[in-house]
Amino acid sequence: MSLPMKAIDRLFERLAATYGAQWIRQWQDVPMADVKSAWAHELATFANSLHRIAWALENLPPKVPNAIEFKAVCRQAPAPEAPRLPEPKADPERV
């Protein structure tokens, strides 16, 4: 299973807008379909946790990442907070 190509397209648009010519030069000798396919495969583990990819996009490294480096940034994303039940009120007799 891979990440949907629509998600990869949006990711690449964001990375191209952020890194500009550096991003484009990194892939100039490789067919873009192959690059996107490799990224989709590498990021497949985040298909059910897209918040990690979103977090990585907000915390990009200064230099252009490759797929492995971007995946490592995704892994650093904090887990989302689970909803919590309200704390029970103290029993006045025990207090």
Coordinates of all heavy atoms in Angstrom, one line a residue:
M1 N 0.8 -1.2 0.0 CA 0.0 0.0 0.0 C 0.9 1.2 0.0 O 1.9 1.3 0.7 CB -0.9 0.0 1.2 CG -1.8 1.2 1.3 SD -2.9 1.0 2.8 CE -3.7 2.6 2.6
S2 N 0.5 2.2 -0.7 CA 1.2 3.5 -0.8 C 0.3 4.6 -0.5 O -0.9 4.5 -0.4 CB 1.7 3.7 -2.2 OG 2.7 2.8 -2.6
L3 N 0.9 5.8 -0.2 CA 0.2 7.0 0.0 C -0.5 7.4 -1.3 O 0.1 7.2 -2.3 CB 1.1 8.1 0.5 CG 0.6 9.2 1.3 CD1 -0.1 8.7 2.6 CD2 1.7 10.2 1.6
P4 N -1.8 7.9 -1.3 CA -2.4 8.2 -2.5 C -1.6 9.3 -3.3 O -1.0 10.2 -2.7 CB -3.8 8.8 -2.1 CG -4.0 8.3 -0.7 CD -2.6 8.1 -0.1
M5 N -1.6 9.1 -4.6 CA -0.8 10.0 -5.4 C -1.3 11.5 -5.3 O -0.5 12.4 -5.4 CB -0.9 9.6 -6.9 CG 0.3 10.1 -7.7 SD 1.9 9.8 -7.0 CE 2.1 8.1 -7.0
K6 N -2.6 11.7 -5.0 CA -3.1 13.1 -4.8 C -2.4 13.7 -3.6 O -2.0 14.9 -3.7 CB -4.6 13.0 -4.6 CG -5.2 14.4 -4.5 CD -6.8 14.3 -4.4 CE -7.4 15.7 -4.3 NZ -8.8 15.6 -4.2
A7 N -2.2 12.9 -2.6 CA -1.5 13.4 -1.4 C 0.0 13.7 -1.7 O 0.5 14.8 -1.3 CB -1.6 12.4 -0.2
I8 N 0.6 12.9 -2.5 CA 2.0 13.1 -2.9 C 2.1 14.4 -3.8 O 3.0 15.2 -3.6 CB 2.5 11.9 -3.6 CG1 2.6 10.7 -2.7 CG2 3.9 12.2 -4.3 CD1 3.6 10.9 -1.5
D9 N 1.1 14.5 -4.7 CA 1.1 15.7 -5.5 C 1.1 17.0 -4.7 O 1.8 18.0 -4.9 CB 0.0 15.7 -6.5 CG 0.2 14.7 -7.6 OD1 1.3 14.3 -7.9 OD2 -0.9 14.3 -8.2
R10 N 0.2 17.0 -3.7 CA 0.0 18.2 -2.8 C 1.3 18.4 -2.0 O 1.8 19.5 -1.8 CB -1.2 18.0 -1.9 CG -2.5 18.1 -2.7 CD -3.7 18.1 -1.8 NE -3.7 19.3 -1.0 CZ -4.5 19.4 0.1 NH1 -5.2 18.4 0.5 NH2 -4.5 20.6 0.7
L11 N 1.9 17.3 -1.5 CA 3.1 17.4 -0.8 C 4.2 18.0 -1.6 O 5.0 18.9 -1.2 CB 3.5 16.0 -0.3 CG 4.9 15.9 0.4 CD1 4.9 16.7 1.7 CD2 5.2 14.4 0.7
F12 N 4.4 17.5 -2.9 CA 5.4 18.0 -3.7 C 5.2 19.5 -4.1 O 6.1 20.3 -4.2 CB 5.5 17.2 -5.0 CG 6.4 16.0 -4.9 CD1 6.3 15.1 -3.8 CD2 7.4 15.7 -5.8 CE1 7.2 14.1 -3.6 CE2 8.2 14.6 -5.7 CZ 8.1 13.8 -4.6
E13 N 3.9 19.9 -4.2 CA 3.7 21.3 -4.5 C 4.1 22.2 -3.3 O 4.8 23.2 -3.5 CB 2.2 21.5 -4.7 CG 1.6 21.0 -6.0 CD 0.1 21.0 -6.1 OE1 -0.5 21.6 -5.2 OE2 -0.4 20.4 -7.1
R14 N 3.9 21.7 -2.1 CA 4.3 22.5 -0.9 C 5.8 22.5 -0.8 O 6.4 23.6 -0.5 CB 3.6 21.8 0.3 CG 4.1 22.4 1.6 CD 3.5 23.8 1.9 NE 4.0 24.3 3.1 CZ 3.4 24.1 4.3 NH1 2.4 23.3 4.4 NH2 4.0 24.6 5.4
L15 N 6.5 21.4 -1.1 CA 7.9 21.3 -1.0 C 8.6 22.2 -2.1 O 9.6 22.9 -1.8 CB 8.4 19.9 -1.0 CG 8.0 19.1 0.2 CD1 8.4 17.6 0.0 CD2 8.7 19.6 1.5
A16 N 8.0 22.2 -3.2 CA 8.5 23.0 -4.3 C 8.3 24.5 -4.0 O 9.3 25.3 -4.3 CB 7.8 22.7 -5.6
A17 N 7.2 24.9 -3.4 CA 7.0 26.3 -3.0 C 7.9 26.7 -1.9 O 8.4 27.8 -1.9 CB 5.5 26.5 -2.6
T18 N 8.3 25.8 -1.0 CA 9.1 26.1 0.1 C 10.6 26.2 -0.3 O 11.3 27.1 0.0 CB 9.0 25.0 1.2 OG1 7.6 25.0 1.6 CG2 9.9 25.3 2.4
Y19 N 11.1 25.2 -1.1 CA 12.5 25.1 -1.4 C 12.9 25.6 -2.8 O 14.0 25.8 -3.1 CB 13.0 23.6 -1.3 CG 12.9 23.1 0.1 CD1 12.0 22.1 0.5 CD2 13.8 23.6 1.1 CE1 12.0 21.6 1.8 CE2 13.8 23.1 2.4 CZ 12.9 22.1 2.7 OH 12.9 21.6 4.0
G20 N 11.9 25.9 -3.6 CA 12.1 26.5 -4.9 C 13.0 25.7 -5.8 O 12.9 24.5 -5.9
A21 N 14.0 26.4 -6.4 CA 14.9 25.7 -7.4 C 15.7 24.6 -6.8 O 16.0 23.6 -7.5 CB 15.8 26.8 -7.9
Q22 N 16.0 24.6 -5.5 CA 16.7 23.5 -4.9 C 15.9 22.2 -5.0 O 16.5 21.2 -5.3 CB 17.0 23.8 -3.4 CG 18.0 24.9 -3.2 CD 18.2 25.1 -1.7 OE1 17.2 25.0 -0.9 NE2 19.4 25.4 -1.3
W23 N 14.6 22.3 -4.8 CA 13.8 21.1 -4.9 C 13.8 20.6 -6.3 O 13.9 19.4 -6.5 CB 12.4 21.5 -4.4 CG 11.4 20.4 -4.5 CD1 10.4 20.3 -5.5 CD2 11.3 19.2 -3.7 NE1 9.7 19.1 -5.3 CE2 10.2 18.5 -4.2 CE3 11.9 18.8 -2.6 CZ2 9.8 17.3 -3.7 CZ3 11.5 17.6 -2.0 CH2 10.5 16.8 -2.5
I24 N 13.6 21.5 -7.3 CA 13.5 21.1 -8.7 C 14.8 20.5 -9.1 O 14.8 19.5 -9.8 CB 13.1 22.3 -9.5 CG1 11.6 22.7 -9.1 CG2 13.1 21.9 -11.0 CD1 11.2 24.1 -9.6
R25 N 16.0 21.1 -8.8 CA 17.3 20.6 -9.2 C 17.6 19.2 -8.7 O 18.2 18.4 -9.3 CB 18.4 21.6 -8.8 CG 18.6 22.7 -9.7 CD 19.9 23.4 -9.4 NE 20.1 23.8 -8.0 CZ 19.7 25.0 -7.6 NH1 19.1 25.9 -8.4 NH2 19.9 25.3 -6.3
Q26 N 17.0 18.9 -7.5 CA 17.3 17.6 -6.9 C 16.8 16.5 -7.7 O 17.3 15.4 -7.7 CB 16.6 17.6 -5.5 CG 16.9 16.3 -4.7 CD 16.5 16.4 -3.3 OE1 16.5 17.5 -2.7 NE2 16.2 15.3 -2.7
W27 N 15.7 16.7 -8.5 CA 15.1 15.7 -9.3 C 15.3 15.8 -10.8 O 14.6 15.1 -11.6 CB 13.6 15.6 -9.0 CG 13.3 15.7 -7.5 CD1 12.6 16.6 -6.8 CD2 13.7 14.7 -6.5 NE1 12.6 16.4 -5.5 CE2 13.3 15.2 -5.3 CE3 14.5 13.5 -6.5 CZ2 13.5 14.5 -4.1 CZ3 14.7 12.9 -5.3 CH2 14.2 13.4 -4.1
Q28 N 16.1 16.7 -11.3 CA 16.2 17.0 -12.7 C 16.6 15.8 -13.6 O 16.3 15.7 -14.7 CB 17.1 18.2 -12.9 CG 18.6 18.0 -12.6 CD 19.4 19.2 -12.8 OE1 18.8 20.3 -12.9 NE2 20.7 19.1 -12.7
D29 N 17.4 14.8 -13.0 CA 17.8 13.7 -13.8 C 17.0 12.4 -13.6 O 17.4 11.4 -14.0 CB 19.3 13.4 -13.5 CG 20.2 14.6 -13.9 OD1 19.8 15.3 -14.9 OD2 21.2 14.8 -13.3
V30 N 15.9 12.6 -12.8 CA 15.1 11.4 -12.5 C 13.7 11.6 -13.0 O 13.1 12.7 -12.8 CB 15.1 11.2 -11.0 CG1 14.4 9.9 -10.6 CG2 16.6 11.1 -10.4
P31 N 13.1 10.6 -13.6 CA 11.7 10.8 -14.0 C 10.8 11.1 -12.7 O 10.9 10.4 -11.7 CB 11.3 9.5 -14.6 CG 12.6 8.9 -15.0 CD 13.6 9.3 -14.0
M32 N 10.0 12.2 -12.8 CA 9.2 12.6 -11.7 C 8.2 11.6 -11.2 O 8.0 11.4 -10.0 CB 8.5 13.9 -12.0 CG 7.8 14.5 -10.8 SD 8.8 14.8 -9.4 CE 10.0 16.1 -9.9
A33 N 7.7 10.8 -12.1 CA 6.8 9.7 -11.7 C 7.5 8.7 -10.8 O 6.9 8.2 -9.9 CB 6.2 9.0 -13.0
D34 N 8.7 8.4 -11.1 CA 9.5 7.5 -10.3 C 9.8 8.1 -8.9 O 9.7 7.4 -7.9 CB 10.8 7.1 -11.0 CG 10.7 6.3 -12.2 OD1 9.6 5.8 -12.5 OD2 11.7 6.2 -13.0
V35 N 10.1 9.3 -8.9 CA 10.3 10.0 -7.6 C 9.1 10.0 -6.7 O 9.1 9.6 -5.6 CB 10.8 11.5 -7.8 CG1 10.9 12.2 -6.5 CG2 12.1 11.5 -8.6
K36 N 8.0 10.3 -7.3 CA 6.7 10.4 -6.6 C 6.3 9.0 -6.1 O 5.8 8.8 -5.0 CB 5.6 11.0 -7.4 CG 5.7 12.5 -7.6 CD 4.6 13.1 -8.4 CE 4.7 14.6 -8.5 NZ 3.6 15.2 -9.2
S37 N 6.5 8.0 -6.9 CA 6.2 6.6 -6.6 C 7.1 6.2 -5.4 O 6.6 5.5 -4.4 CB 6.5 5.7 -7.7 OG 6.2 4.4 -7.4
A38 N 8.3 6.5 -5.4 CA 9.2 6.2 -4.3 C 8.8 6.9 -3.0 O 8.8 6.3 -1.9 CB 10.7 6.6 -4.6
W39 N 8.4 8.2 -3.1 CA 7.9 8.9 -1.9 C 6.6 8.3 -1.4 O 6.4 8.2 -0.2 CB 7.8 10.4 -2.2 CG 9.0 11.2 -2.1 CD1 10.2 11.0 -2.9 CD2 9.3 12.2 -1.2 NE1 11.1 11.9 -2.5 CE2 10.6 12.7 -1.5 CE3 8.6 12.8 -0.2 CZ2 11.2 13.7 -0.7 CZ3 9.2 13.8 0.6 CH2 10.5 14.2 0.3
A40 N 5.7 7.9 -2.3 CA 4.5 7.3 -1.9 C 4.7 6.0 -1.1 O 4.1 5.8 -0.1 CB 3.6 7.1 -3.1
H41 N 5.7 5.3 -1.6 CA 6.0 4.0 -0.9 C 6.6 4.3 0.5 O 6.2 3.6 1.5 CB 7.0 3.2 -1.8 CG 7.4 2.0 -1.1 ND1 6.6 0.8 -1.0 CD2 8.6 1.6 -0.5 CE1 7.3 -0.1 -0.4 NE2 8.5 0.4 -0.1
E42 N 7.6 5.2 0.5 CA 8.2 5.5 1.8 C 7.3 6.1 2.9 O 7.4 5.8 4.0 CB 9.4 6.5 1.6 CG 10.6 5.9 1.0 CD 11.2 4.8 1.9 OE1 11.2 4.9 3.1 OE2 11.7 3.8 1.3
L43 N 6.3 6.9 2.4 CA 5.4 7.5 3.4 C 4.1 6.7 3.6 O 3.2 7.2 4.3 CB 5.1 8.9 2.9 CG 6.3 9.9 2.8 CD1 5.8 11.2 2.2 CD2 7.0 10.0 4.1
A44 N 4.0 5.5 3.0 CA 2.8 4.7 3.2 C 2.5 4.4 4.6 O 1.3 4.3 5.0 CB 3.0 3.4 2.4
T45 N 3.5 4.4 5.5 CA 3.2 4.1 6.9 C 2.4 5.2 7.6 O 1.8 5.0 8.6 CB 4.5 3.9 7.7 OG1 5.3 5.0 7.5 CG2 5.2 2.7 7.2
F46 N 2.3 6.4 6.9 CA 1.5 7.5 7.5 C 0.2 7.7 6.8 O -0.5 8.7 7.0 CB 2.4 8.8 7.4 CG 3.7 8.6 8.0 CD1 4.9 8.7 7.3 CD2 3.9 8.4 9.4 CE1 6.1 8.6 7.8 CE2 5.1 8.3 10.0 CZ 6.2 8.4 9.2
A47 N -0.3 6.7 6.0 CA -1.5 6.8 5.3 C -2.7 7.0 6.3 O -3.7 7.7 6.0 CB -1.8 5.6 4.5
N48 N -2.6 6.5 7.5 CA -3.7 6.6 8.5 C -3.3 7.6 9.6 O -4.1 7.8 10.5 CB -4.0 5.3 9.1 CG -4.6 4.3 8.2 OD1 -5.3 4.7 7.3 ND2 -4.3 3.0 8.3
S49 N -2.2 8.3 9.4 CA -1.9 9.4 10.3 C -1.3 10.6 9.6 O -0.1 10.9 9.8 CB -0.9 8.8 11.4 OG 0.2 8.2 10.7
L50 N -2.1 11.1 8.7 CA -1.6 12.3 7.9 C -1.2 13.5 8.7 O -0.5 14.4 8.2 CB -2.7 12.7 6.9 CG -3.0 11.6 5.8 CD1 -4.2 12.0 4.9 CD2 -1.8 11.3 5.0
H51 N -1.7 13.5 10.0 CA -1.3 14.6 10.9 C 0.3 14.7 11.0 O 0.8 15.7 11.2 CB -1.9 14.5 12.2 CG -1.4 13.4 13.1 ND1 -1.9 12.1 12.9 CD2 -0.5 13.3 14.0 CE1 -1.3 11.3 13.8 NE2 -0.4 12.0 14.5
R52 N 0.9 13.5 10.9 CA 2.4 13.5 11.0 C 3.0 14.1 9.8 O 4.0 14.9 9.9 CB 2.9 12.0 11.1 CG 2.5 11.4 12.4 CD 3.1 10.0 12.6 NE 2.7 9.4 13.8 CZ 3.4 9.6 15.0 NH1 4.5 10.4 15.0 NH2 3.0 9.0 16.1
I53 N 2.4 13.9 8.6 CA 3.0 14.6 7.4 C 2.7 16.1 7.5 O 3.6 16.9 7.2 CB 2.3 14.0 6.2 CG1 2.8 12.6 6.0 CG2 2.7 14.9 4.9 CD1 2.2 11.8 4.9
A54 N 1.5 16.5 8.0 CA 1.2 17.9 8.2 C 2.2 18.5 9.2 O 2.7 19.7 9.0 CB -0.2 18.1 8.7
W55 N 2.5 17.8 10.3 CA 3.4 18.3 11.3 C 4.8 18.5 10.6 O 5.5 19.5 10.9 CB 3.5 17.4 12.5 CG 4.3 17.9 13.6 CD1 3.9 18.7 14.6 CD2 5.8 17.7 13.8 NE1 5.0 19.0 15.4 CE2 6.1 18.4 14.9 CE3 6.7 17.0 13.1 CZ2 7.4 18.4 15.4 CZ3 8.0 17.0 13.5 CH2 8.4 17.7 14.7
A56 N 5.2 17.5 9.8 CA 6.6 17.6 9.2 C 6.6 18.8 8.3 O 7.7 19.5 8.2 CB 6.8 16.3 8.4
L57 N 5.5 19.1 7.6 CA 5.5 20.3 6.7 C 5.7 21.6 7.4 O 6.2 22.6 6.9 CB 4.3 20.3 5.8 CG 4.2 19.3 4.7 CD1 2.8 19.2 4.1 CD2 5.3 19.6 3.6
E58 N 5.2 21.6 8.7 CA 5.4 22.8 9.5 C 6.7 22.8 10.2 O 7.1 23.8 10.8 CB 4.3 22.8 10.6 CG 2.9 23.0 10.0 CD 2.7 24.2 9.1 OE1 3.3 25.3 9.5 OE2 2.1 24.2 8.1
N59 N 7.5 21.7 10.1 CA 8.8 21.7 10.8 C 9.9 21.2 9.8 O 10.7 20.3 10.2 CB 8.7 20.7 12.0 CG 7.7 21.3 13.0 OD1 8.1 22.1 13.9 ND2 6.5 20.9 13.0
L60 N 9.9 21.7 8.7 CA 10.9 21.3 7.6 C 12.3 21.6 8.0 O 12.5 22.7 8.6 CB 10.5 21.9 6.3 CG 9.2 21.4 5.6 CD1 8.9 22.3 4.4 CD2 9.4 20.0 5.2
P61 N 13.2 20.8 7.6 CA 14.6 21.1 7.8 C 15.1 22.2 6.9 O 14.4 22.5 5.9 CB 15.4 19.8 7.5 CG 14.4 19.1 6.5 CD 13.1 19.5 6.9
P62 N 16.2 22.9 7.2 CA 16.7 24.0 6.4 C 17.1 23.6 4.9 O 17.0 24.3 4.0 CB 17.9 24.5 7.1 CG 17.9 23.9 8.5 CD 17.0 22.7 8.4
K63 N 17.6 22.3 4.8 CA 18.0 21.9 3.5 C 16.9 20.9 2.9 O 16.2 20.3 3.6 CB 19.4 21.2 3.5 CG 19.4 19.8 4.1 CD 20.8 19.2 3.9 CE 20.7 17.7 4.0 NZ 20.1 16.9 3.0
V64 N 16.9 20.8 1.6 CA 15.9 20.0 0.9 C 16.1 18.5 1.4 O 17.1 17.9 1.3 CB 16.1 20.1 -0.6 CG1 15.1 19.2 -1.3 CG2 16.0 21.5 -1.1
P65 N 15.0 18.0 1.9 CA 15.0 16.6 2.4 C 14.8 15.6 1.2 O 14.1 15.9 0.3 CB 13.9 16.5 3.4 CG 12.9 17.4 2.9 CD 13.7 18.6 2.2
N66 N 15.4 14.4 1.4 CA 15.0 13.3 0.5 C 13.9 12.6 1.2 O 13.5 12.9 2.3 CB 16.2 12.4 0.1 CG 16.8 11.8 1.3 OD1 16.1 11.4 2.3 ND2 18.1 11.6 1.3
A67 N 13.4 11.5 0.6 CA 12.2 10.8 1.2 C 12.6 10.2 2.5 O 11.7 10.3 3.4 CB 11.8 9.7 0.2
I68 N 13.7 9.7 2.7 CA 14.1 9.1 4.0 C 14.2 10.2 5.1 O 13.7 10.0 6.2 CB 15.5 8.3 3.9 CG1 15.4 7.3 2.8 CG2 15.9 7.8 5.2 CD1 14.4 6.2 3.0
E69 N 14.8 11.3 4.8 CA 14.9 12.4 5.7 C 13.5 13.0 6.1 O 13.2 13.2 7.3 CB 15.8 13.5 5.2 CG 17.2 13.1 5.0 CD 18.1 14.0 4.2 OE1 17.5 14.7 3.3 OE2 19.3 14.0 4.4
F70 N 12.6 13.1 5.1 CA 11.3 13.6 5.4 C 10.5 12.6 6.2 O 9.8 13.0 7.2 CB 10.5 13.9 4.1 CG 9.2 14.6 4.3 CD1 9.1 15.9 4.5 CD2 8.0 13.8 4.3 CE1 7.9 16.5 4.8 CE2 6.8 14.4 4.5 CZ 6.8 15.8 4.7
K71 N 10.7 11.3 6.0 CA 10.0 10.3 6.8 C 10.5 10.4 8.2 O 9.7 10.2 9.2 CB 10.4 8.9 6.2 CG 9.6 7.8 6.8 CD 10.0 6.5 6.1 CE 9.3 5.3 6.7 NZ 9.7 4.0 5.9
A72 N 11.8 10.7 8.4 CA 12.3 10.8 9.8 C 11.7 12.0 10.5 O 11.4 11.9 11.7 CB 13.8 10.9 9.7
V73 N 11.5 13.1 9.8 CA 10.8 14.2 10.4 C 9.3 13.9 10.7 O 8.9 14.2 11.8 CB 10.8 15.5 9.4 CG1 10.1 16.6 10.0 CG2 12.3 15.9 9.2
C74 N 8.7 13.1 9.9 CA 7.3 12.7 10.2 C 7.2 11.9 11.4 O 6.3 12.0 12.2 CB 6.7 11.9 9.0 SG 6.4 12.8 7.5
R75 N 8.2 11.0 11.7 CA 8.2 10.2 12.9 C 8.4 11.0 14.1 O 8.1 10.5 15.2 CB 9.4 9.2 12.8 CG 9.1 8.1 11.8 CD 10.2 7.0 11.9 NE 10.0 5.9 11.0 CZ 10.8 5.4 10.2 NH1 12.1 5.9 10.1 NH2 10.5 4.4 9.4
Q76 N 8.9 12.2 14.0 CA 9.1 13.1 15.2 C 7.8 13.8 15.7 O 7.8 14.4 16.7 CB 10.2 14.1 14.9 CG 11.6 13.5 14.7 CD 12.6 14.6 14.3 OE1 12.3 15.8 14.4 NE2 13.7 14.1 13.7
A77 N 6.8 13.7 14.9 CA 5.5 14.4 15.2 C 5.0 13.8 16.5 O 5.0 12.6 16.7 CB 4.5 14.2 14.0
P78 N 4.5 14.7 17.3 CA 3.9 14.3 18.6 C 2.6 13.6 18.3 O 1.9 13.9 17.3 CB 3.7 15.6 19.4 CG 3.7 16.6 18.4 CD 4.5 16.2 17.2
A79 N 2.3 12.6 19.2 CA 1.0 11.9 19.0 C -0.1 12.9 19.4 O 0.0 13.8 20.2 CB 1.0 10.7 20.0
P80 N -1.2 12.8 18.6 CA -2.4 13.7 19.0 C -2.9 13.4 20.3 O -2.9 12.2 20.8 CB -3.4 13.4 17.9 CG -3.0 12.0 17.4 CD -1.6 11.9 17.6
E81 N -3.4 14.4 21.0 CA -4.0 14.2 22.3 C -5.3 13.5 22.2 O -6.2 13.9 21.4 CB -4.1 15.5 23.1 CG -2.8 16.0 23.6 CD -3.0 17.1 24.7 OE1 -4.1 17.0 25.4 OE2 -2.2 18.0 24.7
A82 N -5.5 12.4 23.0 CA -6.7 11.7 23.0 C -7.7 12.5 23.9 O -7.3 13.1 24.9 CB -6.5 10.3 23.6
P83 N -9.0 12.5 23.5 CA -10.0 13.1 24.3 C -10.0 12.5 25.7 O -9.9 11.3 25.9 CB -11.3 12.9 23.6 CG -11.0 12.0 22.5 CD -9.6 11.8 22.3
R84 N -10.2 13.3 26.7 CA -10.2 12.8 28.1 C -11.6 13.0 28.7 O -12.2 14.0 28.4 CB -9.2 13.6 28.9 CG -7.8 13.4 28.3 CD -6.8 14.3 29.1 NE -6.2 13.5 30.1 CZ -5.3 13.9 31.0 NH1 -5.0 15.2 31.0 NH2 -4.8 13.1 31.8
L85 N -11.9 12.1 29.6 CA -13.1 12.3 30.3 C -12.9 13.3 31.4 O -11.8 13.4 31.9 CB -13.5 10.9 31.0 CG -13.9 9.8 30.0 CD1 -14.1 8.5 30.8 CD2 -15.2 10.2 29.3
P86 N -13.9 14.0 31.8 CA -13.7 15.0 32.9 C -13.4 14.2 34.2 O -13.9 13.1 34.4 CB -15.1 15.7 33.1 CG -16.0 14.9 32.3 CD -15.3 14.0 31.3
E87 N -12.6 14.8 35.1 CA -12.3 14.2 36.3 C -13.5 14.1 37.2 O -14.3 15.0 37.3 CB -11.2 15.0 37.0 CG -9.8 14.8 36.3 CD -8.7 15.5 37.2 OE1 -8.8 15.5 38.4 OE2 -7.8 15.9 36.5
P88 N -13.6 13.0 37.9 CA -14.8 12.9 38.8 C -14.7 13.9 40.0 O -13.6 14.2 40.4 CB -14.8 11.5 39.3 CG -13.4 11.0 39.1 CD -12.8 11.8 38.0
K89 N -15.8 14.4 40.4 CA -15.8 15.3 41.6 C -15.5 14.6 42.9 O -15.8 13.4 43.0 CB -17.1 16.0 41.7 CG -17.4 16.9 40.4 CD -18.6 17.8 40.6 CE -18.7 18.5 39.3 NZ -19.4 19.7 39.3
A90 N -14.8 15.3 43.7 CA -14.4 14.6 45.0 C -15.7 14.4 45.9 O -16.6 15.2 45.9 CB -13.5 15.5 45.8
D91 N -15.7 13.3 46.6 CA -16.8 13.0 47.5 C -16.6 13.8 48.7 O -15.6 13.8 49.4 CB -16.7 11.5 47.8 CG -17.8 11.0 48.7 OD1 -18.6 11.8 49.1 OD2 -17.8 9.8 49.1
P92 N -17.6 14.7 49.0 CA -17.5 15.6 50.1 C -17.3 14.9 51.4 O -16.7 15.4 52.3 CB -18.8 16.4 50.1 CG -19.4 16.2 48.8 CD -18.8 14.9 48.2
E93 N -17.9 13.7 51.6 CA -17.7 13.0 52.8 C -16.3 12.6 53.1 O -15.8 12.5 54.2 CB -18.7 11.8 52.9 CG -20.1 12.2 53.0 CD -21.1 11.0 53.0 OE1 -20.6 9.9 53.3 OE2 -22.3 11.2 52.8
R94 N -15.6 12.3 52.0 CA -14.2 11.8 52.1 C -13.3 13.0 52.3 O -12.2 12.8 52.8 CB -13.8 11.0 50.9 CG -14.6 9.7 50.8 CD -14.2 8.8 49.7 NE -13.0 8.1 50.2 CZ -12.2 7.3 49.5 NH1 -12.4 7.3 48.2 NH2 -11.2 6.7 49.9
V95 N -13.6 14.1 51.7 CA -12.7 15.3 51.8 C -12.9 15.9 53.2 O -12.1 16.1 54.0 CB -13.1 16.3 50.8 CG1 -12.3 17.6 50.9 CG2 -13.0 15.8 49.4

